[in-house]
Amino acid sequence: MRRASAIAALVFFLAAIIPGSAALGYVADTTVPLGGGCPQADRWNLSLASPLNRRWSTSLSPAHTTVITVNASGSAAQLNEIEAVVSASFAAWAGVAGTTFNTAVNPGLIAPLGRTSDPNSCSNDTESNADGLNTICFNQASAGFSSGVLAFTRTITANAPGVSVGASGPAAFAGQILDADTLFRNDGQGTFATPSALATPQGAGAYDLESLLTHELGHWFGLSHSAVWRAIMFPFAPPPGSFLGARPTAQVPDGPLADDDRTGVRVSYADSSDAVHTGTIKGHVVPANPFALATIPSPSTGRSVTGIFGAHVVAVDADTGAVIAGTLGGWSCDAANPPAKFDGSYELDRLAVGHNYKIYAEPLEGVVGPGDFALPLAELCGAGATTECGTPAVNTNFSVRARPGP
């Protein structure tokens, strides 16, 4: 059970746009530009001329059953069954209204799904084979599969314009995602099942492939983890034999997602024609005793900590009780005066107008902790600490893990 550190008594009614930067609108991964400055949200630079390439490796482990299907192992029907899950998982994100890559409004920004038979077609641990082709692998070994890790996604982003990886083409901006690969555990310590197989006795002890892959694809689109338990981006997988949300349908392709997930992808890929999700709520999280901040060391010369860093700030629909969005508060950055300031700032963007919202803040002291998030490194980079800020491209690994026992 969690203890909330602060509860906001204010209820907000959004009727119009509240001007403000979208930098803190959700828990998104960020990249610090090579030349310094504010952290930039990681995202693709998609266009009809440069859609999101995607493929999956049909190689499955001969030694261990990695994916349980209702169709016979090794058959073409089995591969089609797995591919249908891959397609549905992508469609969940592409089905979110109010985004630039929503397939119903902006078709063509996500390329057709391809196949490869190469078992090692994802980026390896040294990235010596990074190719910009964006692949899902079920039979590739990696040191990333530490205890409890079921799957992980490795993304490579540019920290300066002009950077490229393999077939990615040159980046247009810092934070542009150049390559994303997802690897599933294949050493016998984790078994996954398609939705059809999950309902059978053979699949009862397996993890839902659709839920885990939909989570990993959220990382493809630049989202970090969420501390909202129902969110698909929660860092722990649903228990074996179960799945998150609703199964996708042609009418509701984004059924597996929670409102928190939808808000996150709207922030990173906001559709300028969306007249519904235009609201913003922002503020600061500060301690009841401001003198408590005096003991925190200065992050850099001339800077001091003036607010609580890392508080989980959540917007709840005051009328329905639904969790709409959550973010990690604590910092802001003025592009004209970087680096980041640890001032307790939070900002929740792309909220539907015409709704009442209740805001609360809580510490990350439960199952999900600070280590489950990629936090901004602007101050550390400026101080010359050991980071990846000086490399041509930045690599980040995200994993989904089995839930810890009671």
Side-chain angles (χ1 to χ4, degrees), residues 13-344:
F13 176 77
L14 292 189
I17 299 176
I18 302 175
S21 167
L24 302 181
Y26 189 79
V27 185
D29 195 33
T30 58
T31 295
V32 178
L34 180 62
C38 296
Q40 302 297 306
D42 292 350
R43 56 190 176 88
W44 296 97
N45 183 27
L46 302 179
S47 67
L48 292 176
S50 181
L52 174 62
N53 293 317
R54 56 191 182 126
R55 62 178 186 168
W56 71 284
S57 172
T58 58
S59 177
L60 302 174
S61 173
H64 307 283
T65 299
T66 304
V67 181
I68 300 174
T69 58
V70 295
N71 287 289
S73 178
S75 66
Q78 181 195 36
L79 298 183
N80 291 337
E81 183 178 341
I82 296 173
E83 185 165 294
V85 177
V86 176
S87 296
S89 299
F90 273 105
W93 293 103
V96 177
T99 67
T100 53
F101 59 83
N102 178 277
T103 53
V105 179
N106 301 301
L109 297 185
I110 298 180
L113 180 62
R115 292 184 180 184
T116 177
S117 60
D118 182 1
N120 298 309
S121 51
C122 289
S123 297
N124 57 34
D125 293 343
T126 63
E127 299 175 18
S128 60
N129 64 336
D131 53 18
L133 295 179
N134 314 315
T135 310
I136 299 163
C137 297
F138 296 101
N139 191 26
Q140 181 168 328
S142 172
F145 292 118
S146 56
S147 178
V149 173
L150 300 173
F152 72 88
T153 292
R154 175 175 290 131
T155 62
I156 300 177
T157 61
N159 60 7
V163 173
S164 64
V165 171
S168 69
F173 50 82
Q176 180 175 330
I177 301 173
L178 304 174
D179 184 80
D181 293 319
T182 293
L183 288 77
F184 277 82
R185 189 155 207 147
N186 52 76
D187 58 0
Q189 298 187 44
T191 305
F192 313 95
T194 64
S196 298
L198 195 72
T200 68
Q202 293 78 11
Y207 290 96
D208 181 47
L209 176 61
E210 188 172 81
S211 295
L212 269 67
L213 181 54
T214 304
H215 171 101
E216 294 303 325
L217 294 181
H219 294 316
W220 277 44
F221 288 109
L223 302 184
S224 187
H225 286 137
S226 171
V228 175
W229 283 67
R230 164 58 187 85
I232 201 76
M233 297 311 297
F234 191 71
F236 295 96
S242 64
F243 60 92
L244 278 178
R247 290 299 189 192
T249 64
Q251 295 73 30
V252 188
D254 61 344
L257 307 184
D259 287 329
D260 182 58
D261 304 306
R262 298 183 183 99
T263 300
V265 77
R266 287 188 186 113
V267 169
S268 295
Y269 302 90
D271 186 347
S272 60
S273 65
D274 178 15
V276 176
H277 307 94
T278 57
T280 294
I281 296 174
K282 57 184 178 179
H284 296 79
V285 180
V286 296
N289 177 12
F291 293 102
L293 299 173
T295 61
I296 301 177
S298 174
S300 62
T301 304
R303 304 272 180 173
S304 59
V305 176
T306 59
I308 294 177
F309 178 77
H312 185 222
V313 183
V314 183
V316 177
D317 189 305
D319 298 315
T320 67
V323 175
I324 304 301
T327 189
L328 286 187
W331 65 280
S332 64
C333 191
D334 180 358
N337 186 30
K341 300 175 183 177
F342 291 90
D343 55 4

Side-chain angles (χ1 to χ4, degrees), residues 375-387:
L375 300 177
L377 297 175
E379 296 287 350
L380 295 179
C381 293
T386 302
T387 68

